[in-house]
Amino acid sequence: SWRVFVKYQMAVHKETEYECSYRIFREFLVSTPLQPYKDENGPPHGYGSFHQQYWLNGKLIAVGVIDILPKCVSSVYFFYDPDYSFLSPGTYGSLRELELVRSYAEKCPDLKYYYMGYYIHSCSKMRYKARLCPSYLLCPEVFTWHSIEKCIPKLDALKYSRLNDDKTAVCEDSNISLNQVLILYDHTAMTYGVYRNRTRNSNEDEVKEYAELVGRYSSQNMLLLRH
């Protein structure tokens, strides 16, 4: 996989061999904070981070890196041997990942979404994401989903745009109580209120910034590691 990664990064992203070393490859696409987990009612291979390999005539030509999560398959990265670019492996990989989601949804109804990551309209390498329909973009201000067809005219006009047309709409997840933010400290899960009482360094500004970025629901359902 690493050798294909090197060829792809150097040809497509014009990186040097040093910039796509094996160490960088492992840090970028192998090391993961997700712990493998398998449930009898979950997907066949369980939850976690995976590499999907694409072989042609006994040769590895592409790799899709995905996270399988309780409600979606997240496409982390896709790279391929540039010698096979005429096959449009990136588009094919997306279609295969979509098919994977559909197959999982038959057994796990909650696992029904395909998350393709960031969409930067001005980046030509990301335009293929807009060709998969129906697709939706998240409004960066109120965190509501909107059809990409309606978003494209706004992004053609401005690099940054509020995608929700309702000017009165606000983020329902923005009312955050810092004391209820979940913290992992000294191998123990606790609320920020408990953590602050136990330690002298409360890191309030950092915790507040984190909570505002992830929102109320996420900040109260996942752990922020503190040392």
Side-chain angles (χ1 to χ4, degrees):
S1 292
W2 170 59
R3 297 190 185 281
V4 177
F5 172 77
V6 172
K7 288 184 68 175
Y8 175 81
Q9 294 297 115
M10 293 181 68
V12 177
H13 294 290
K14 310 303 179 186
E15 291 186 353
T16 65
E17 193 169 351
Y18 174 79
E19 291 175 306
C20 41
S21 66
Y22 184 69
R23 177 185 61 81
I24 291 175
F25 169 71
R26 284 191 58 85
E27 291 177 353
F28 179 31
L29 297 174
V30 179
S31 299
T32 173
L34 299 182
Q35 296 298 311
Y37 173 72
K38 200 165 186 179
D39 184 277
E40 61 179 11
N41 297 318
H45 299 95
Y47 302 101
S49 300
F50 299 87
H51 283 202
Q52 284 191 306
Q53 296 185 335
Y54 296 80
W55 292 76
L56 180 64
N57 297 328
K59 181 179 180 180
L60 179 65
I61 65 168
V63 178
V65 184
I66 60 173
D67 289 339
I68 300 178
L69 306 171
K71 293 188 177 182
C72 76
V73 170
S74 175
S75 181
V76 177
Y77 202 66
F78 192 92
F79 57 94
Y80 55 85
D81 187 330
D83 293 342
Y84 294 87
S85 59
F86 66 95
L87 295 175
S88 299
T91 299
Y92 178 74
S94 295
L95 294 174
R96 292 291 297 177
E97 289 170 3
L98 275 169
E99 178 58 29
L100 181 68
V101 176
R102 288 178 175 175
S103 66
Y104 284 167
E106 293 179 0
K107 182 180 179 181
C108 318
D110 286 342
L111 206 170
K112 58 184 178 181
Y113 297 108
Y114 178 48
Y115 178 63
M116 301 184 72
Y118 293 115
Y119 176 75
I120 302 174
H121 190 59
S122 58
C123 178
S124 60
K125 294 184 179 69
M126 291 193 177
R127 290 293 180 95
Y128 76 95
K129 297 182 181 183
R131 296 198 296 267
L132 297 176
C133 295
S135 291
Y136 300 86
L137 294 180
L138 190 68
C139 176
E141 296 185 7
V142 295
F143 304 108
T144 50
W145 293 97
H146 303 273
S147 169
I148 196 167
E149 290 89 346
K150 295 182 178 179
C151 297
I152 285 178
K154 298 177 181 178
L155 297 174
D156 281 337
L158 296 169
K159 289 185 177 180
Y160 175 87
S161 176
R162 176 188 172 104
L163 303 179
N164 191 317
D165 290 328
D166 182 359
K167 302 302 181 183
T168 64
V170 295
C171 177
E172 297 179 357
D173 202 31
S174 60
N175 186 18
I176 300 168
S177 171
L178 270 189
N179 285 337
Q180 298 303 312
V181 173
L182 290 183
I183 302 292
L184 180 63
Y185 174 70
D186 195 22
H187 305 287
T188 304
M190 63 189 73
T191 63
Y192 175 70
V194 173
Y195 167 78
R196 185 172 54 188
N197 290 333
R198 286 192 181 185
T199 63
R200 293 182 178 180
N201 185 7
S202 64
N203 307 119
E204 183 171 336
D205 290 341
E206 292 181 10
V207 175
K208 183 178 180 181
E209 181 182 18
Y210 157 79
E212 290 175 346
L213 287 171
V214 303
R216 180 183 59 192
Y217 178 82
S218 294
S219 69
Q220 294 178 6
N221 285 275
M222 65 182 185
L223 297 167
L224 172 64
L225 178 63
R226 298 281 85 184
H227 297 288

Coordinates of all heavy atoms in Angstrom, one line a residue, residues 151-220:
C151 N -26.5 24.5 -3.3 CA -25.3 25.2 -2.7 C -24.3 25.7 -3.8 O -23.7 26.7 -3.5 CB -24.6 24.2 -1.8 SG -25.6 23.7 -0.4
I152 N -24.2 25.0 -4.9 CA -23.2 25.3 -5.9 C -23.3 26.8 -6.4 O -22.2 27.4 -6.5 CB -23.2 24.3 -7.0 CG1 -22.6 23.0 -6.5 CG2 -22.5 24.8 -8.2 CD1 -22.6 21.9 -7.6
P153 N -24.5 27.3 -6.7 CA -24.5 28.7 -7.2 C -23.9 29.7 -6.1 O -23.3 30.7 -6.5 CB -26.0 29.0 -7.4 CG -26.5 27.6 -7.7 CD -25.8 26.7 -6.8
K154 N -24.2 29.4 -4.8 CA -23.6 30.2 -3.8 C -22.1 30.1 -3.7 O -21.4 31.1 -3.5 CB -24.3 29.8 -2.4 CG -25.8 30.0 -2.4 CD -26.3 29.5 -1.0 CE -27.8 29.7 -1.0 NZ -28.4 29.2 0.3
L155 N -21.6 28.9 -3.9 CA -20.2 28.7 -3.8 C -19.5 29.2 -5.1 O -18.3 29.6 -5.0 CB -19.9 27.2 -3.6 CG -20.4 26.7 -2.2 CD1 -20.2 25.2 -2.2 CD2 -19.7 27.4 -1.1
D156 N -20.2 29.3 -6.2 CA -19.6 29.9 -7.4 C -19.4 31.4 -7.2 O -18.5 31.9 -7.7 CB -20.6 29.6 -8.6 CG -20.5 28.2 -9.2 OD1 -19.4 27.6 -9.0 OD2 -21.4 27.8 -9.8
A157 N -20.3 32.0 -6.4 CA -20.3 33.4 -6.2 C -19.3 33.8 -5.1 O -18.5 34.8 -5.2 CB -21.6 34.0 -5.9
L158 N -19.2 33.0 -4.0 CA -18.3 33.3 -2.9 C -17.7 32.0 -2.4 O -18.3 31.0 -2.4 CB -19.2 33.9 -1.8 CG -19.8 35.3 -2.0 CD1 -20.8 35.6 -0.9 CD2 -18.7 36.4 -2.1
K159 N -16.4 32.1 -2.0 CA -15.7 31.0 -1.5 C -16.3 30.5 -0.2 O -16.4 29.3 0.1 CB -14.2 31.3 -1.3 CG -13.4 31.4 -2.6 CD -12.0 31.6 -2.3 CE -11.2 31.7 -3.6 NZ -9.7 31.9 -3.3
Y160 N -16.8 31.4 0.6 CA -17.5 31.1 1.9 C -18.9 31.6 1.8 O -19.2 32.7 1.4 CB -16.8 31.8 3.1 CG -17.5 31.5 4.4 CD1 -17.3 30.4 5.1 CD2 -18.5 32.4 4.8 CE1 -18.0 30.1 6.3 CE2 -19.2 32.1 6.0 CZ -18.9 31.0 6.7 OH -19.6 30.7 7.9
S161 N -19.8 30.7 2.2 CA -21.2 31.1 2.1 C -22.0 30.4 3.2 O -21.8 29.2 3.5 CB -21.8 30.7 0.7 OG -23.2 31.0 0.7
R162 N -23.0 31.1 3.8 CA -24.0 30.5 4.7 C -24.9 29.7 3.7 O -25.5 30.3 2.8 CB -24.7 31.5 5.4 CG -25.8 31.0 6.3 CD -26.6 32.2 6.9 NE -27.8 31.7 7.6 CZ -28.0 31.7 8.9 NH1 -26.9 32.1 9.7 NH2 -29.1 31.3 9.5
L163 N -25.1 28.5 4.0 CA -25.9 27.6 3.1 C -27.4 27.6 3.4 O -28.3 27.2 2.6 CB -25.4 26.2 3.0 CG -23.9 26.1 2.6 CD1 -23.4 24.7 2.6 CD2 -23.7 26.7 1.2
N164 N -27.7 28.0 4.7 CA -29.1 28.0 5.1 C -29.7 29.4 4.7 O -29.2 30.4 5.2 CB -29.2 27.8 6.6 CG -30.6 27.6 7.1 OD1 -31.5 28.2 6.7 ND2 -30.8 26.6 8.0
D165 N -30.8 29.4 3.9 CA -31.4 30.6 3.5 C -32.2 31.3 4.6 O -32.5 32.5 4.4 CB -32.3 30.4 2.3 CG -31.5 30.0 1.0 OD1 -30.3 30.5 0.9 OD2 -32.0 29.2 0.2
D166 N -32.5 30.6 5.6 CA -33.3 31.2 6.7 C -32.4 32.0 7.6 O -31.6 31.5 8.3 CB -34.0 30.1 7.5 CG -34.9 30.7 8.6 OD1 -34.9 31.9 8.8 OD2 -35.5 29.9 9.3
K167 N -32.5 33.4 7.4 CA -31.6 34.3 8.2 C -31.8 34.2 9.7 O -31.0 34.7 10.5 CB -31.7 35.7 7.7 CG -31.4 35.8 6.2 CD -30.0 35.4 5.8 CE -29.8 35.6 4.3 NZ -28.4 35.1 3.9
T168 N -33.0 33.7 10.1 CA -33.3 33.7 11.5 C -32.8 32.4 12.2 O -32.9 32.3 13.4 CB -34.8 33.9 11.7 OG1 -35.5 32.8 11.2 CG2 -35.3 35.2 11.1
A169 N -32.4 31.4 11.4 CA -32.0 30.1 11.9 C -30.7 30.2 12.7 O -29.8 30.9 12.3 CB -31.9 29.1 10.8
V170 N -30.7 29.5 13.8 CA -29.5 29.5 14.7 C -29.2 28.0 15.0 O -30.1 27.1 14.8 CB -29.7 30.2 16.0 CG1 -29.9 31.7 15.7 CG2 -30.9 29.7 16.8
C171 N -28.0 27.8 15.4 CA -27.6 26.4 15.7 C -28.3 25.9 17.0 O -28.1 26.5 18.0 CB -26.1 26.3 15.8 SG -25.5 24.7 16.3
E172 N -29.1 24.9 16.9 CA -29.8 24.3 18.1 C -28.8 23.7 19.1 O -29.2 23.4 20.2 CB -30.8 23.4 17.6 CG -31.9 24.0 16.8 CD -33.0 23.0 16.4 OE1 -32.8 21.8 16.7 OE2 -34.0 23.4 15.7
D173 N -27.6 23.4 18.6 CA -26.6 22.7 19.4 C -25.6 23.6 20.1 O -24.6 23.2 20.6 CB -25.9 21.7 18.5 CG -25.3 20.5 19.3 OD1 -25.9 20.2 20.4 OD2 -24.2 20.0 18.9
S174 N -25.9 24.9 20.1 CA -24.9 25.9 20.5 C -25.0 26.2 22.0 O -24.1 26.9 22.6 CB -25.0 27.2 19.7 OG -26.3 27.7 19.8
N175 N -26.1 25.8 22.7 CA -26.3 26.1 24.1 C -25.5 25.1 24.9 O -26.0 24.0 25.2 CB -27.8 26.1 24.4 CG -28.0 26.5 25.9 OD1 -27.2 27.2 26.5 ND2 -29.2 26.2 26.4
I176 N -24.3 25.4 25.3 CA -23.4 24.5 25.9 C -23.1 24.8 27.3 O -22.8 26.0 27.7 CB -22.1 24.4 25.1 CG1 -22.3 24.0 23.7 CG2 -21.1 23.5 25.8 CD1 -21.1 24.2 22.8
S177 N -23.2 23.8 28.2 CA -22.8 24.0 29.6 C -21.5 23.3 29.8 O -21.3 22.1 29.6 CB -23.9 23.3 30.5 OG -23.4 23.2 31.9
L178 N -20.5 24.1 30.1 CA -19.1 23.6 30.2 C -19.0 22.5 31.2 O -18.2 21.6 31.1 CB -18.1 24.8 30.5 CG -17.5 25.5 29.4 CD1 -16.4 26.5 29.9 CD2 -16.9 24.6 28.3
N179 N -19.7 22.7 32.3 CA -19.6 21.7 33.4 C -20.1 20.3 33.0 O -19.7 19.3 33.6 CB -20.4 22.1 34.6 CG -19.8 23.2 35.4 OD1 -18.6 23.4 35.3 ND2 -20.5 24.0 36.1
Q180 N -20.8 20.2 31.8 CA -21.3 18.9 31.4 C -20.5 18.3 30.3 O -20.7 17.2 29.8 CB -22.8 19.1 30.9 CG -23.7 19.5 32.0 CD -23.8 18.6 33.1 OE1 -23.8 17.4 33.0 NE2 -23.7 19.1 34.3
V181 N -19.4 19.0 29.8 CA -18.5 18.4 28.8 C -17.8 17.2 29.4 O -17.3 17.3 30.6 CB -17.5 19.5 28.4 CG1 -16.4 18.9 27.5 CG2 -18.2 20.6 27.7
L182 N -17.7 16.2 28.7 CA -17.0 14.9 29.2 C -15.5 15.0 29.0 O -15.1 15.3 27.9 CB -17.6 13.7 28.5 CG -19.1 13.4 28.8 CD1 -19.5 12.1 28.1 CD2 -19.2 13.2 30.4
I183 N -14.8 14.6 30.0 CA -13.3 14.7 30.0 C -12.8 13.3 30.4 O -13.4 12.6 31.2 CB -12.8 15.7 31.1 CG1 -13.4 17.1 30.8 CG2 -11.3 15.7 31.1 CD1 -12.9 17.7 29.6
L184 N -11.7 12.9 29.7 CA -11.0 11.7 30.1 C -9.7 12.1 30.7 O -8.8 12.7 30.1 CB -10.7 10.8 28.9 CG -9.9 9.5 29.2 CD1 -10.8 8.6 30.1 CD2 -9.6 8.7 27.9
Y185 N -9.6 11.9 32.0 CA -8.4 12.4 32.8 C -7.9 11.3 33.7 O -8.7 10.7 34.5 CB -8.7 13.6 33.6 CG -7.6 14.1 34.5 CD1 -6.4 14.6 34.0 CD2 -7.7 14.0 35.9 CE1 -5.4 15.0 34.8 CE2 -6.7 14.4 36.7 CZ -5.5 14.9 36.2 OH -4.5 15.3 37.0
D186 N -6.6 10.9 33.6 CA -6.1 9.9 34.5 C -6.8 8.6 34.4 O -7.2 8.0 35.4 CB -6.1 10.4 36.0 CG -5.2 9.6 36.9 OD1 -4.2 8.9 36.3 OD2 -5.4 9.5 38.1
H187 N -7.1 8.2 33.1 CA -7.8 7.0 32.8 C -9.2 6.9 33.4 O -9.8 5.8 33.5 CB -7.0 5.8 33.3 CG -5.6 5.7 32.8 ND1 -5.3 5.4 31.5 CD2 -4.5 6.0 33.5 CE1 -4.0 5.4 31.4 NE2 -3.4 5.8 32.6
T188 N -9.8 8.1 33.7 CA -11.1 8.1 34.3 C -12.0 9.1 33.5 O -11.6 10.2 33.2 CB -11.1 8.5 35.7 OG1 -10.2 7.6 36.4 CG2 -12.5 8.5 36.4
A189 N -13.2 8.7 33.2 CA -14.2 9.6 32.5 C -14.9 10.4 33.6 O -15.3 9.9 34.6 CB -15.2 8.8 31.7
M190 N -15.0 11.7 33.3 CA -15.7 12.6 34.3 C -16.2 13.8 33.5 O -15.8 14.1 32.4 CB -14.7 13.0 35.4 CG -13.5 13.8 34.9 SD -12.2 14.1 36.1 CE -11.6 12.4 36.3
T191 N -17.1 14.6 34.2 CA -17.5 15.9 33.6 C -16.4 16.9 33.8 O -15.6 16.8 34.7 CB -18.8 16.3 34.2 OG1 -18.6 16.6 35.6 CG2 -19.9 15.3 34.0
Y192 N -16.5 18.0 33.0 CA -15.5 19.1 33.2 C -15.6 19.7 34.6 O -14.6 20.1 35.2 CB -15.7 20.1 32.1 CG -14.8 21.3 32.3 CD1 -13.5 21.2 32.1 CD2 -15.4 22.6 32.7 CE1 -12.6 22.3 32.3 CE2 -14.5 23.6 32.9 CZ -13.2 23.5 32.7 OH -12.4 24.6 32.9
G193 N -16.9 19.7 35.1 CA -17.0 20.3 36.5 C -16.2 19.5 37.5 O -15.6 20.1 38.4
V194 N -16.3 18.2 37.4 CA -15.5 17.3 38.3 C -14.0 17.5 38.1 O -13.2 17.6 39.0 CB -15.9 15.9 38.2 CG1 -15.0 15.0 39.0 CG2 -17.3 15.7 38.6
Y195 N -13.6 17.5 36.8 CA -12.2 17.7 36.4 C -11.6 19.0 37.0 O -10.5 19.0 37.5 CB -12.1 17.6 34.9 CG -10.8 18.1 34.3 CD1 -9.6 17.3 34.4 CD2 -10.6 19.4 33.8 CE1 -8.4 17.7 33.9 CE2 -9.4 19.8 33.2 CZ -8.3 19.0 33.3 OH -7.1 19.4 32.8
R196 N -12.4 20.1 36.8 CA -11.9 21.4 37.3 C -11.7 21.4 38.8 O -10.8 22.0 39.3 CB -13.0 22.4 36.9 CG -12.5 23.9 37.2 CD -13.5 24.9 36.6 NE -14.9 24.6 37.0 CZ -15.9 25.2 36.5 NH1 -15.8 26.1 35.6 NH2 -17.1 24.9 37.0
N197 N -12.6 20.7 39.5 CA -12.4 20.6 41.0 C -11.2 19.8 41.4 O -10.7 20.0 42.5 CB -13.7 20.1 41.6 CG -14.8 21.0 41.5 OD1 -14.7 22.2 41.4 ND2 -16.1 20.5 41.5
R198 N -10.8 18.8 40.5 CA -9.7 17.9 40.9 C -8.3 18.5 40.5 O -7.3 18.1 41.1 CB -9.9 16.6 40.2 CG -10.9 15.7 40.7 CD -10.8 14.3 40.1 NE -11.9 13.4 40.6 CZ -11.9 12.1 40.3 NH1 -11.0 11.6 39.6 NH2 -12.9 11.4 40.8
T199 N -8.3 19.4 39.6 CA -7.0 19.9 39.1 C -6.9 21.4 39.2 O -7.9 22.1 39.2 CB -6.8 19.6 37.6 OG1 -7.8 20.2 36.8 CG2 -6.9 18.1 37.4
R200 N -5.7 21.9 39.3 CA -5.5 23.3 39.4 C -5.5 24.0 38.0 O -5.9 25.1 37.9 CB -4.1 23.6 40.1 CG -4.1 23.2 41.5 CD -2.7 23.6 42.1 NE -2.6 23.2 43.5 CZ -1.6 23.4 44.3 NH1 -0.5 23.9 43.7 NH2 -1.6 23.0 45.6
N201 N -5.1 23.2 37.0 CA -5.1 23.8 35.6 C -6.4 23.4 35.0 O -6.5 22.2 34.5 CB -3.9 23.2 34.9 CG -3.8 23.9 33.5 OD1 -4.5 24.8 33.2 ND2 -2.8 23.4 32.7
S202 N -7.3 24.2 34.9 CA -8.7 23.9 34.4 C -8.8 23.9 32.9 O -9.7 23.3 32.3 CB -9.7 24.8 34.9 OG -9.5 26.2 34.5
N203 N -7.8 24.5 32.2 CA -7.8 24.6 30.7 C -9.2 25.1 30.2 O -9.6 24.7 29.1 CB -7.5 23.2 30.1 CG -6.2 22.6 30.6 OD1 -6.3 21.5 31.2 ND2 -5.1 23.3 30.4
E204 N -9.8 26.1 30.8 CA -11.1 26.5 30.5 C -11.2 27.0 29.1 O -12.2 26.6 28.3 CB -11.6 27.5 31.5 CG -13.1 27.9 31.2 CD -13.7 28.8 32.3 OE1 -13.2 28.7 33.4 OE2 -14.6 29.5 32.0
D205 N -10.3 27.8 28.6 CA -10.4 28.3 27.3 C -10.3 27.2 26.2 O -11.0 27.3 25.2 CB -9.2 29.4 27.0 CG -9.4 30.6 27.9 OD1 -10.6 30.9 28.3 OD2 -8.4 31.3 28.1
E206 N -9.4 26.3 26.4 CA -9.3 25.2 25.5 C -10.6 24.3 25.4 O -11.0 23.9 24.4 CB -8.1 24.3 25.8 CG -6.8 25.0 25.6 CD -5.6 24.1 25.9 OE1 -5.8 22.9 26.1 OE2 -4.5 24.6 26.0
V207 N -11.1 24.0 26.6 CA -12.3 23.2 26.7 C -13.5 23.9 26.1 O -14.3 23.3 25.4 CB -12.6 22.8 28.2 CG1 -13.9 22.0 28.3 CG2 -11.4 22.0 28.7
K208 N -13.6 25.2 26.3 CA -14.7 26.0 25.7 C -14.6 26.0 24.2 O -15.6 25.9 23.5 CB -14.6 27.4 26.3 CG -15.8 28.3 25.8 CD -15.7 29.7 26.4 CE -16.8 30.6 25.9 NZ -16.8 32.0 26.4
E209 N -13.4 26.2 23.7 CA -13.2 26.2 22.2 C -13.6 24.9 21.6 O -14.2 24.8 20.6 CB -11.7 26.5 21.9 CG -11.5 26.6 20.4 CD -10.0 26.8 20.1 OE1 -9.1 26.7 20.9 OE2 -9.7 27.2 18.9
Y210 N -13.1 23.8 22.3 CA -13.5 22.4 21.8 C -15.0 22.2 21.8 O -15.6 21.7 20.9 CB -12.8 21.4 22.8 CG -13.5 20.1 22.8 CD1 -13.2 19.1 21.8 CD2 -14.3 19.7 23.9 CE1 -13.8 17.9 21.8 CE2 -14.9 18.4 23.9 CZ -14.7 17.5 22.9 OH -15.3 16.3 22.9
A211 N -15.7 22.6 22.9 CA -17.1 22.4 23.0 C -17.9 23.2 22.0 O -18.8 22.7 21.4 CB -17.6 22.8 24.4
E212 N -17.4 24.4 21.7 CA -18.1 25.2 20.7 C -17.9 24.6 19.3 O -18.7 24.8 18.4 CB -17.5 26.7 20.7 CG -18.0 27.4 22.0 CD -17.3 28.8 22.1 OE1 -16.3 29.0 21.3 OE2 -17.8 29.6 22.9
L213 N -16.7 24.0 19.0 CA -16.4 23.4 17.7 C -17.3 22.1 17.5 O -17.8 21.9 16.4 CB -14.9 23.1 17.6 CG -14.0 24.3 17.4 CD1 -12.6 23.9 17.5 CD2 -14.3 25.0 16.1
V214 N -17.4 21.3 18.5 CA -18.0 20.0 18.3 C -19.5 20.1 18.6 O -20.3 19.2 18.2 CB -17.4 18.9 19.1 CG1 -15.9 18.7 18.8 CG2 -17.6 19.1 20.6
G215 N -20.0 21.1 19.4 CA -21.4 21.2 19.7 C -21.7 20.5 21.0 O -21.0 19.7 21.6
R216 N -22.9 20.9 21.5 CA -23.4 20.3 22.8 C -23.5 18.8 22.8 O -23.0 18.2 23.7 CB -24.8 21.0 23.1 CG -25.3 20.5 24.5 CD -26.7 21.1 24.7 NE -27.6 20.7 23.6 CZ -28.8 21.3 23.4 NH1 -29.2 22.3 24.2 NH2 -29.6 20.9 22.4
Y217 N -24.2 18.3 21.8 CA -24.4 16.8 21.8 C -23.1 16.0 21.8 O -22.9 15.1 22.6 CB -25.2 16.4 20.5 CG -25.5 14.9 20.5 CD1 -26.5 14.3 21.2 CD2 -24.7 14.1 19.7 CE1 -26.8 13.0 21.1 CE2 -24.9 12.7 19.6 CZ -25.9 12.2 20.3 OH -26.1 10.8 20.3
S218 N -22.2 16.4 20.9 CA -20.9 15.6 20.8 C -20.1 15.8 22.1 O -19.4 14.9 22.6 CB -20.1 16.1 19.6 OG -20.8 15.7 18.4
S219 N -20.1 17.1 22.6 CA -19.2 17.3 23.8 C -19.7 16.6 25.0 O -19.0 16.3 26.0 CB -19.2 18.8 24.1 OG -20.5 19.3 24.6
Q220 N -21.0 16.1 25.0 CA -21.6 15.4 26.1 C -21.7 13.9 25.8 O -22.2 13.1 26.7 CB -23.0 16.0 26.5 CG -22.9 17.4 27.0 CD -24.3 18.0 27.3 OE1 -25.3 17.3 27.2 NE2 -24.3 19.2 27.7

